[in-house]
Amino acid sequence: MTAILTANNVGMVFQTPDGGSVEAIHNISFTLHAGEIVALIGPSGCGKTTLFNIISGLLEPSRGSFAVEGGDNGQSVGYMLQKDLLLPWRSVIDNVVLGLEVRGVPTSESYPVAKRLIEAYGLAGFENAKPATLSGGMRQRVAIMRTLAFDPAVVLLDEPFSALDFQTRTLLQTDVARIIAEKQKSAILITHDIGEALTMADRVLVLSQRPSTVIRELVIDIPRDARDAVALRSDPRFNDMFITIWNDIQGKAAA
């Protein structure tokens, strides 16, 4: 399998105002393959978002390295945050083209890209709507389109459904996994929801408490096209993996 992203012995230490230091990430290594979704799950404060900031080029690691296909993390990585952060004064289509606009892509090229995404992913007819008129699920669809519009090699999903109700969250988990597969992208998902990780990911990396390291890599051996988010709950394999991950997190937290 083709490696899209490789992390080698990544560590992160922050300096404190009093001259001390805090180690957020001890040692993390993994590979993300083409067309794959990897979920990161672990205790709160274990450094997951810090890891995303390193992958996206917002932070330099204290040690170790990341390699992303294409070479430039800022150009090769798309980042979808917990909040959609749509600009309220801009229409749906103008929010979708925002990243392309920042990169200097002319509207004659960016608008056709946005229109294709909007039509493909269920928002045709809402091109000129303002974010305030959209439901939470629709706003998140706009956010994922904005992330995909500039064609990143890797998509980072930082708890993108955490603010949504259970029904909308469950539907979007399936939708976003499908969209990423259709666009032939690779993605890393941060989540505190074990069920979400098992629904969307091909592999789950369980992280320890801070300073974090990978304590388990779990391959999800259920075909993605058979992972109905509701039906999975009655699959014995789902329950076994859920308990394994839960025990990892709880055992490490207790230690």
Side-chain angles (χ1 to χ4, degrees):
M1 298 177 70
T2 304
I4 297 298
L5 179 150
T6 303
N8 289 310
N9 303 316
V10 172
M12 188 69 200
V13 177
F14 291 101
Q15 302 304 312
T16 60
D18 62 3
S21 63
V22 174
E23 186 179 23
I25 299 172
H26 178 61
N27 189 312
I28 289 181
S29 297
F30 68 94
T31 299
L32 176 69
H33 300 111
E36 184 181 39
I37 299 177
V38 169
L40 301 178
I41 194 163
S44 294
C46 72
K48 297 184 292 292
T49 298
T50 296
L51 187 64
F52 264 22
N53 288 337
I54 294 171
I55 295 172
S56 62
L58 297 175
L59 287 175
E60 285 289 333
S62 302
R63 58 180 176 274
S65 63
F66 270 101
V68 180
E69 184 183 54
D72 184 342
N73 292 24
Q75 296 294 323
S76 303
V77 174
Y79 201 154
M80 183 175 173
L81 301 167
Q82 293 178 12
K83 296 182 179 179
D84 57 69
L85 298 179
L86 301 181
L87 300 181
W89 60 89
R90 298 185 68 137
S91 65
V92 164
I93 193 166
D94 285 333
N95 270 287
V96 173
V97 302
L98 182 61
L100 294 172
E101 184 179 308
V102 170
R103 284 173 164 78
V105 178
T107 55
S108 60
E109 296 178 23
S110 64
Y111 269 55
V113 171
K115 287 178 180 178
R116 286 194 294 272
L117 288 168
I118 290 168
E119 290 171 4
Y121 302 124
L123 285 182
F126 289 89
E127 292 86 349
N128 297 314
K130 294 295 195 295
T133 68
L134 306 179
S135 68
M138 294 167 76
R139 291 172 65 102
Q140 287 299 85
R141 282 189 175 90
V142 176
I144 189 65
M145 290 181 220
R146 180 183 58 195
T147 302
L148 293 172
F150 66 90
D151 199 29
V154 176
V155 178
L156 304 181
L157 304 168
D158 189 354
E159 297 190 72
F161 317 121
S162 60
L164 303 174
D165 62 85
F166 176 78
Q167 181 180 0
T168 303
R169 184 169 69 244
T170 301
L171 292 171
L172 275 180
Q173 288 167 4
T174 303
D175 279 355
V176 170
R178 173 181 57 83
I179 289 168
I180 288 172
E182 288 175 353
K183 298 294 288 184
Q184 299 182 318
K185 298 300 176 186
S186 303
I188 306 175
L189 168 71
I190 286 178
T191 181
H192 286 99
D193 185 334
I194 299 174
E196 182 171 274
L198 295 175
T199 298
M200 294 185 66
D202 300 290
R203 284 185 294 138
V204 177
L205 302 182
V206 184
L207 303 182
S208 69
Q209 276 192 317
R210 190 182 71 205
S212 59
T213 188
V214 177
I215 57 175
R216 185 183 298 274
E217 178 180 323
L218 190 65
V219 176
I220 311 304
D221 57 354
I222 303 172
R224 201 184 281 177
D225 59 5
R227 287 192 229 166
D228 179 276
V230 175
L232 264 180
R233 269 60 177 178
S234 60
D235 189 317
R237 295 171 294 178
F238 174 93
N239 293 322
D240 289 346
M241 289 185 286
F242 189 105
I243 292 169
T244 295
I245 294 171
W246 176 256
N247 286 341
D248 283 340
I249 295 171
Q250 293 299 105
K252 208 61 183 176

